[in-house]
Amino acid sequence: MTNTSPAPLWRPDPSRVADARITHYQHWLNAEKGLAFDDYQSLWAWSVEHLEEFYESLWQYFDIRHSAPYERVLDGHHMPGAKWFEGARLNLAEQVFRHHEHEPERPAVLSRSELRGLQTLTWGELRERIAALAHSLRELGVGPGDRVVAYLPNLPETMVAFFAVSSLGAIWSSCSPDMGTRSVLDRFRQIDPKVMIAVDGYRYGGKDFDRLSVVAGLRDQLPTLEQVVMLPYLNADARLPGARYWDDLVREPAPMRFEQVPFDHPLWVVYSSGTTGMPKPIVHGHGGALLEGLQDHALQLDLGPKDRYMWFTTTGWIMWNAQMSGLLTGATICLYDGNPGYPDLGTLWRFAEETEMTFFGAGAAYFLNCKKADIRPGDWVDTGRIRSIGSTGSPLPEEGYRWLMDQFDDVMVAAISGGTDVASAYVGACPTLPVYPGEMQCRYLGTAVYAMGDHGELLDDEVGELVVTKPMPSMPLYFWNDEGGERYRDSYFDVFPGVWRHGDWIRITPRGGAIIYGRSDTTINRHGIRMGTGEIYRVVEEIPEVLDSLVVDLEYLGRESYMPLFVVLREGVALNEDLAGRIKAAIRDHLSARHVPNEIIAAPDVPRTLTGKKMELPIKKLLLGQAIEQVANPDAMANPDSIAFYSEFAERRGTAGRDRGDRD
């Protein structure tokens, strides 16, 4: 790699640096701790070298509300299993209501959907509804440790439900209603929920989708459910026999109570992609989500009480959980539910203008689609009001950075990269640093993230595995039903013992920034929604004509995502339009429309290892241009002749790809 530094696309002006929350934090460190740092890199180095002192400073700086003090910050740097802030008792929801306590009329949530016009929920109303719902859930028998699941869109009610559940010390888990029955059951069935809150349907892209029968089916197939709470959303008159109804549960005022729980008490269960079997139910704690949420949003993204903040998401993506953390800073949250491209790609920009948004976040694919469609945000929004543009979900290529810079007067492109696994970011934004094309500005404070080579060596300005060498408070407490923690260890610590391997390719630049080059494993990340190949196989291979299948996603920095699905068919069966259509419909209906393949190809066989595992990563590398002898050892294959088909396919597609690139 070259050490030549490119010219920055943006530098913060002196007033922005002076006003930034991270600058205020550094002044606090100097005044309270006698610590001074010349630049961000020296601050980052201190934060990872003195991990305990750093996280204790966050606790003190943000004045974390607690009912019992901690005995120590951290019991050691071992992973997994590091214990943070033992003895402390707190509640994440309580921290939210530190802001605007004397200004209950200030907006807490601004929302719009394809079914609803612009709505405002004040801080006072938010508190009242959370308290009322929490009281009703308590009367339904929900208490600390019980699981409450949600089949809800990105609505204010979903936010109310989450904070009500967390205030009780119960455990939250959500899926978006555009997910099919199989995907939802694969997730919720693992955690034995007590209550489910669900909508009757939703509208997306101008079309209505009734979900009453799906909700009824979920109720029948979740044997531990004691109650379903219905939120009539698509149809105000929708009814499900035996269900309770949202309006009834939030009608009666009740006092606000926050159950005091240990720092590592479970807050929510989120789910991995399901690459090797069922999606992994990942459990995060109150304290870790609280501390990392404050750091990520207040210090790194520079959010505060004057901001209006959106990260366009669904309730099935970790960015929904992350957006909830925006309230910890006192910011107003802006929620949009619907198709961002309906009736056109100006929809979210118009929403940004009517909410007077200051921070606009979305998946990288959305911005690239706007660029391709020659969208000009300035046609709809005051480009001087938006101070930051957040991007995640997949790498934002250089042209994406340049397009955004061309559209706005003075904006920080806050590209971030993290994951469901830690409910946080590893690398991303800093309001006091310049922005370089295609490069995230920094490694996050307290996050010992590096590029690591195949033999465990740390790499300088070279592409390697994204690893974290010291614990983070928001690392998973455990996986649900993973007695002994074997599945947890195998997921993150199987390649480099004692070192967290995330599954991305990363390069740390000489400037201390980071460039992500896509997934190093076989998780498929389409438009910000992660899905494991195993979930796709379960659906595709239930189709009678399909004997076997293999799917890869060729998402890579600077290239358009291309996801082919290879199918091995029964003898005498041809891949015609009807069969291809049924395969796509099965994926769309049972899993996600985002994971419908770009192309379906009939293949003679699926390459497998001697132990019978599908060779997804080798085929992905082959299709990305690596030589066949570099990706596969015939002696380690059960069917070595099978790979020739994929090598020929790669050669054909490689030529076609270069031709397309030349025309561009």
Side-chain angles (χ1 to χ4, degrees), residues 80 184 241 344:
V184 177
D344 56 61

Side-chain angles (χ1 to χ4, degrees), residues 651-664:
E651 290 179 7
R652 292 196 304 272
R653 187 174 188 278
T655 301
R658 285 192 294 274
D659 290 345
R660 283 196 300 271
D662 292 342
R663 287 198 300 271
D664 291 339

Side-chain angles (χ1 to χ4, degrees), residues 442-478:
C442 62
R443 292 177 275 192
Y444 273 14
L445 298 180
T447 307
V449 60
Y450 300 92
M452 183 168 280
D454 292 342
H455 304 293
E457 72 279 17
L458 299 183
L459 303 176
D460 182 22
D461 200 21
E462 294 183 47
V463 177
E465 291 273 4
L466 189 162
V467 300
V468 181
T469 60
K470 293 183 179 181
M472 300 167 60
S474 64
M475 282 177 173
L477 303 175
Y478 48 84

Side-chain angles (χ1 to χ4, degrees), residues 415-428:
I416 68 171
S417 183
T420 300
D421 316 82
V422 291
S424 179
Y426 306 112
V427 294

Side-chain angles (χ1 to χ4, degrees), residues 422-613:
V422 291
S424 179
Y426 306 112
V427 294
C430 176
T432 61
L433 294 176
V435 171
Y436 292 89
E439 182 176 325
M440 283 163 277
Q441 291 162 283
C442 62
R443 292 177 275 192
Y444 273 14
L445 298 180
T447 307
V449 60
Y450 300 92
M452 183 168 280
D454 292 342
H455 304 293
E457 72 279 17
L458 299 183
L459 303 176
D460 182 22
D461 200 21
E462 294 183 47
V463 177
E465 291 273 4
L466 189 162
V467 300
V468 181
T469 60
K470 293 183 179 181
M472 300 167 60
S474 64
M475 282 177 173
L477 303 175
Y478 48 84
F479 291 170
W480 202 268
N481 289 331
D482 181 27
E483 189 172 350
E486 181 178 356
R487 197 179 186 199
Y488 183 11
R489 289 190 297 273
D490 288 348
S491 297
Y492 309 115
F493 302 99
D494 61 331
V495 177
F496 307 113
V499 174
W500 173 286
R501 183 185 74 97
H502 180 62
D504 277 346
W505 299 119
I506 190 173
R507 175 165 65 94
I508 306 300
T509 71
R511 296 166 295 283
I515 301 175
I516 298 289
Y517 292 87
R519 299 295 296 173
S520 64
D521 60 18
T522 55
T523 299
I524 292 176
N525 189 337
R526 298 274 281 181
H527 311 296
I529 307 299
R530 298 175 68 201
M531 185 77 69
T533 54
E535 295 189 79
I536 296 174
Y537 298 146
R538 284 198 294 275
V539 169
V540 171
E541 291 169 18
E542 282 186 355
I543 295 172
E545 294 92 335
V546 179
L547 294 175
D548 205 355
S549 60
L550 181 83
V551 66
V552 294
D553 185 22
L554 306 188
E555 177 251 5
Y556 201 74
L557 185 68
R559 301 184 187 180
E560 186 173 350
S561 174
Y562 167 72
M563 190 179 89
L565 171 67
F566 299 92
V567 291
V568 181
L569 302 175
R570 293 187 182 277
E571 187 174 353
V573 173
L575 182 62
N576 53 30
E577 289 185 6
D578 174 70
L579 178 55
R582 285 191 285 123
I583 293 171
K584 292 180 179 180
I587 294 171
R588 182 183 297 110
D589 294 343
H590 292 293
L591 297 174
S592 157
R594 294 171 176 83
H595 290 80
V596 172
N598 295 93
E599 186 177 4
I600 301 177
I601 304 104
D605 204 356
V606 168
R608 293 181 181 271
T609 66
L610 292 174
T611 58
K613 293 182 179 179

Side-chain angles (χ1 to χ4, degrees), residues 52 92 118 146 151 162 248 281 419-420 487 491 532 561 583 586 648:
E52 291 86 347
L92 177 140
L118 184 66
D146 290 329
Y151 191 57
F162 164 65
D248 296 334
T420 300
R487 197 179 186 199
S491 297
S561 174
I583 293 171
E648 293 168 4

Side-chain angles (χ1 to χ4, degrees), residues 388-400:
S388 301
I389 296 283
S391 175
T392 194
S394 59
L396 183 68
E398 288 190 19
E399 60 264 29

